[in-house]
Amino acid sequence: MTGIRLSAPAPGWAIEADVVVVGSGVAGLTAALRCTAAGLSTVVVTKARLDDGSTRWAQGGIAAALGDGDTPEQHLDDTLVAGAGLCDEEAVRTLVTEGPDAVRRLIATGAHFDTSEAGEIELTREGGHHRRRIAHAGGDATGAEISRALVDAVHAGELRTIENALVLDLLTDADGHTAGITLHVMGEGQHDGVGAVHAPTVVLATGGMGQVFSATTNPAVSTGDGVALALRAGAEISDLEFVQFHPTVLFLGADSEGQQPLVSEAVRGEGAHLVDASGTRFMVGQHEMAELAPRDIVAKGIMRRMQEQRVAHMYLDARHFGAEMWEQRFPTILAACRAHGIDPVTEPIPVAPAAHYASGGVRTDLHGRTTVPGLYACGEVACTGVHGANRLASNSLLEGLVFAERIAADIASRAPLRAGLPAAPATPSVLPLIAPETRAEIQRIMSHGAGVLRSAQSLTEAAAALGAVHRNAVQNQEGSGKTAEPGVETWETSNLLCVARVLTAAALEREETRGCHWREDRPDRDDAEWRRHLVVRLAPDRSLVVRRTENTAFAPTVPDAPREP
């Protein structure tokens, strides 16, 4: 344990539970529902409303071998190829083997996917998939439907929920075992101010960290809170350098910031073409799958064409779909484009890559266990080894679903649970808070130095700039200046700086190009030296400790725990 905590008031209230789940996307709510079904007293804590997480924004769908002629083995092959040699094959096999039944259980929970006239689930293709295996709902509103079904199930089961609550830090007992969390409720929940949930088991399902960049598809709540909490608690983080930039995000201008509208990969899956201003399909000849190549390849293809032509965006041309197909298959995207003055029925859509998904996160085993006893992680906040260096399209919802179920099963197998009393760290260390106005500066540093295109120089400059922000906060904390006041925006900015420093350190360490990590100064993939994971932890003195694994498999997170056969 590091003993490092965010600067925050002492908890003014506390509740008890067997399990506290932090996050309300597909991973968090699935874990909570399964734990409750196992008879465990479960509390769901979420940063906004129950349905405001990243799951709601997922357009494309959920990938699983559900179609005729498709098999888990084919799904595994496509996932391994997309992951650029860095997937943990055991984790991928777990995902694709358990995935189809997990989707069927999701349907049984109440999720309605689009079906044919014969009643079969309609399946589409996305980048990197050689078969139609993407189940979708409402055309392009899959995440919203999954979120609706799970939220309805939570309400029907009368689970305890705390909304509008930012998680702060992990509580541990005298033996270093999880004992709950501290959190701050933002005035609209059933409690107010800083409080605590005392529980022997904590499941992190806090989503991503896309807000660390200026332009992202992630909602405003995606500030890396779970990864930052885990780091402060002493957990190991892996593969954080692999940030997937979605190739086709609606281009709103070179200076646009915050959440940007996504143009789903399913649009390309249904036959849209990537073109430049002259109408040339530039992905043809770059990859056998052209526009349906894995996302890292498409993003690089777009960036190269933009550089060659010295322009800020490319185009996605789907005019040949016609109005009826746009309205029925992609109503959400159609509405978003028209809201910004673009009509995809009559004109190509301007697109450019933007930060989309973190393939790395809190390192777990196949049961979602982290290196901190009693702390689990699933969904985008976790690194199971499934995604490797580049996530295969629509594997994220499936990963959240499958590993949330495995977490609940593991927790239930260990019941009855006993929590020790939360204990103060032996050597407490209060993390210096970062002023909210620094958030935009952090985002600019990251977008410029650690975006789609990276180099030793850009990453070194980014690391130095982030280090300066950190040192200024330390100096202010030690009395030489005005310290930032504790509060939601300050805590979020502090978390963003924490994950930005780890991401940059890992990206600087990995001296190769692999998957969505693109080093201009190291353009080749180097399997002999780099076909392994980088694992990072935060030392008690707040320094970052980086190590390499021996191969693509993760070591057990629990001492002496064998790998599954």
mmCIF file of all heavy atoms in Angstrom, residues 83 94 104 122 142-144 218 274 278 285 290 332 337 361 379 382 388 402 466:
data_model
loop_
_atom_site.group_PDB
_atom_site.id
_atom_site.type_symbol
_atom_site.label_atom_id
_atom_site.label_comp_id
_atom_site.label_asym_id
_atom_site.label_seq_id
_atom_site.Cartn_x
_atom_site.Cartn_y
_atom_site.Cartn_z
ATOM 1 N N GLY A 83 -5.179 -7.139 -31.702
ATOM 2 C CA GLY A 83 -4.364 -6.817 -30.535
ATOM 3 C C GLY A 83 -2.877 -6.739 -30.796
ATOM 4 O O GLY A 83 -2.084 -6.469 -29.887
ATOM 5 N N THR A 94 -11.367 -16.852 -22.909
ATOM 6 C CA THR A 94 -12.440 -16.726 -21.924
ATOM 7 C C THR A 94 -13.549 -15.826 -22.457
ATOM 8 O O THR A 94 -14.739 -16.148 -22.361
ATOM 9 C CB THR A 94 -11.888 -16.147 -20.607
ATOM 10 O OG1 THR A 94 -10.914 -17.045 -20.074
ATOM 11 C CG2 THR A 94 -12.998 -15.926 -19.590
ATOM 12 N N ARG A 104 -26.865 -13.801 -24.244
ATOM 13 C CA ARG A 104 -28.215 -14.378 -24.077
ATOM 14 C C ARG A 104 -28.772 -14.065 -22.695
ATOM 15 O O ARG A 104 -29.970 -13.805 -22.539
ATOM 16 C CB ARG A 104 -28.155 -15.887 -24.320
ATOM 17 C CG ARG A 104 -27.801 -16.246 -25.781
ATOM 18 C CD ARG A 104 -27.822 -17.740 -26.032
ATOM 19 N NE ARG A 104 -27.370 -18.052 -27.392
ATOM 20 C CZ ARG A 104 -26.158 -18.506 -27.701
ATOM 21 N NH1 ARG A 104 -25.271 -18.755 -26.729
ATOM 22 N NH2 ARG A 104 -25.829 -18.739 -28.956
ATOM 23 N N GLU A 122 -30.213 -9.625 -35.730
ATOM 24 C CA GLU A 122 -29.501 -9.086 -36.875
ATOM 25 C C GLU A 122 -28.056 -8.796 -36.483
ATOM 26 O O GLU A 122 -27.793 -8.223 -35.419
ATOM 27 C CB GLU A 122 -30.169 -7.805 -37.376
ATOM 28 C CG GLU A 122 -31.500 -8.043 -38.073
ATOM 29 C CD GLU A 122 -32.053 -6.775 -38.695
ATOM 30 O OE1 GLU A 122 -31.655 -5.677 -38.240
ATOM 31 O OE2 GLU A 122 -32.868 -6.871 -39.616
ATOM 32 N N THR A 142 -27.244 0.908 -29.397
ATOM 33 C CA THR A 142 -27.081 -0.324 -28.624
ATOM 34 C C THR A 142 -26.786 -0.044 -27.159
ATOM 35 O O THR A 142 -27.388 -0.639 -26.265
ATOM 36 C CB THR A 142 -25.944 -1.167 -29.224
ATOM 37 O OG1 THR A 142 -26.154 -1.294 -30.632
ATOM 38 C CG2 THR A 142 -25.898 -2.538 -28.584
ATOM 39 N N GLY A 143 -25.836 0.845 -26.918
ATOM 40 C CA GLY A 143 -25.471 1.147 -25.536
ATOM 41 C C GLY A 143 -26.636 1.686 -24.730
ATOM 42 O O GLY A 143 -26.819 1.328 -23.560
ATOM 43 N N ALA A 144 -27.424 2.545 -25.362
ATOM 44 C CA ALA A 144 -28.581 3.117 -24.668
ATOM 45 C C ALA A 144 -29.584 2.031 -24.281
ATOM 46 O O ALA A 144 -30.160 2.065 -23.188
ATOM 47 C CB ALA A 144 -29.249 4.173 -25.552
ATOM 48 N N ASN A 218 -15.547 10.336 -25.263
ATOM 49 C CA ASN A 218 -15.977 9.980 -23.905
ATOM 50 C C ASN A 218 -16.817 11.081 -23.265
ATOM 51 O O ASN A 218 -16.559 12.275 -23.490
ATOM 52 C CB ASN A 218 -14.769 9.738 -23.007
ATOM 53 C CG ASN A 218 -14.040 8.437 -23.289
ATOM 54 O OD1 ASN A 218 -13.279 7.956 -22.464
ATOM 55 N ND2 ASN A 218 -14.241 7.860 -24.465
ATOM 56 N N LEU A 274 -14.211 5.724 -46.860
ATOM 57 C CA LEU A 274 -13.377 6.846 -46.449
ATOM 58 C C LEU A 274 -12.755 7.469 -47.687
ATOM 59 O O LEU A 274 -12.128 6.762 -48.495
ATOM 60 C CB LEU A 274 -12.277 6.380 -45.484
ATOM 61 C CG LEU A 274 -12.693 6.176 -44.037
ATOM 62 C CD1 LEU A 274 -11.614 5.421 -43.268
ATOM 63 C CD2 LEU A 274 -12.973 7.516 -43.360
ATOM 64 N N SER A 278 -11.080 14.980 -52.778
ATOM 65 C CA SER A 278 -11.276 14.709 -54.200
ATOM 66 C C SER A 278 -12.143 13.483 -54.437
ATOM 67 O O SER A 278 -12.442 13.139 -55.580
ATOM 68 C CB SER A 278 -9.923 14.525 -54.899
ATOM 69 O OG SER A 278 -9.298 13.327 -54.436
ATOM 70 N N GLY A 285 -5.926 -0.640 -50.804
ATOM 71 C CA GLY A 285 -4.520 -0.915 -51.068
ATOM 72 C C GLY A 285 -3.635 -0.815 -49.844
ATOM 73 O O GLY A 285 -2.506 -1.317 -49.844
ATOM 74 N N ALA A 290 -9.395 -2.806 -46.239
ATOM 75 C CA ALA A 290 -9.624 -1.391 -46.576
ATOM 76 C C ALA A 290 -10.210 -0.629 -45.373
ATOM 77 O O ALA A 290 -9.605 -0.602 -44.301
ATOM 78 C CB ALA A 290 -10.518 -1.281 -47.807
ATOM 79 N N THR A 332 -29.436 7.862 -34.743
ATOM 80 C CA THR A 332 -28.709 8.694 -33.780
ATOM 81 C C THR A 332 -27.607 9.491 -34.471
ATOM 82 O O THR A 332 -27.441 10.703 -34.227
ATOM 83 C CB THR A 332 -28.093 7.816 -32.676
ATOM 84 O OG1 THR A 332 -29.100 6.989 -32.107
ATOM 85 C CG2 THR A 332 -27.479 8.683 -31.586
ATOM 86 N N CYS A 337 -25.324 14.491 -36.868
ATOM 87 C CA CYS A 337 -24.738 15.194 -38.007
ATOM 88 C C CYS A 337 -25.590 16.389 -38.406
ATOM 89 O O CYS A 337 -25.079 17.505 -38.615
ATOM 90 C CB CYS A 337 -24.576 14.242 -39.195
ATOM 91 S SG CYS A 337 -23.273 13.010 -38.999
ATOM 92 N N GLY A 361 -5.364 -0.399 -18.227
ATOM 93 C CA GLY A 361 -6.052 0.005 -17.006
ATOM 94 C C GLY A 361 -5.513 -0.759 -15.816
ATOM 95 O O GLY A 361 -4.339 -1.144 -15.788
ATOM 96 N N GLY A 379 -14.517 -3.841 -17.075
ATOM 97 C CA GLY A 379 -14.862 -2.797 -18.032
ATOM 98 C C GLY A 379 -13.635 -2.010 -18.446
ATOM 99 O O GLY A 379 -12.500 -2.481 -18.339
ATOM 100 N N ALA A 382 -10.375 -1.577 -16.395
ATOM 101 C CA ALA A 382 -9.533 -2.754 -16.153
ATOM 102 C C ALA A 382 -8.640 -3.063 -17.346
ATOM 103 O O ALA A 382 -8.913 -2.671 -18.477
ATOM 104 C CB ALA A 382 -10.412 -3.963 -15.851
ATOM 105 N N GLY A 388 -5.023 -6.289 -25.724
ATOM 106 C CA GLY A 388 -3.662 -6.156 -26.215
ATOM 107 C C GLY A 388 -3.334 -4.722 -26.561
ATOM 108 O O GLY A 388 -3.619 -3.799 -25.796
ATOM 109 N N VAL A 402 -18.826 -10.116 -19.670
ATOM 110 C CA VAL A 402 -18.262 -11.415 -19.299
ATOM 111 C C VAL A 402 -17.485 -11.344 -17.997
ATOM 112 O O VAL A 402 -17.664 -12.176 -17.087
ATOM 113 C CB VAL A 402 -17.362 -11.955 -20.432
ATOM 114 C CG1 VAL A 402 -16.528 -13.137 -19.951
ATOM 115 C CG2 VAL A 402 -18.207 -12.352 -21.633
ATOM 116 N N LEU A 466 4.010 17.931 -17.696
ATOM 117 C CA LEU A 466 3.161 17.353 -16.646
ATOM 118 C C LEU A 466 3.896 17.345 -15.312
ATOM 119 O O LEU A 466 3.292 17.596 -14.260
ATOM 120 C CB LEU A 466 2.758 15.930 -17.026
ATOM 121 C CG LEU A 466 1.859 15.775 -18.262
ATOM 122 C CD1 LEU A 466 1.736 14.312 -18.646
ATOM 123 C CD2 LEU A 466 0.482 16.383 -18.014
#
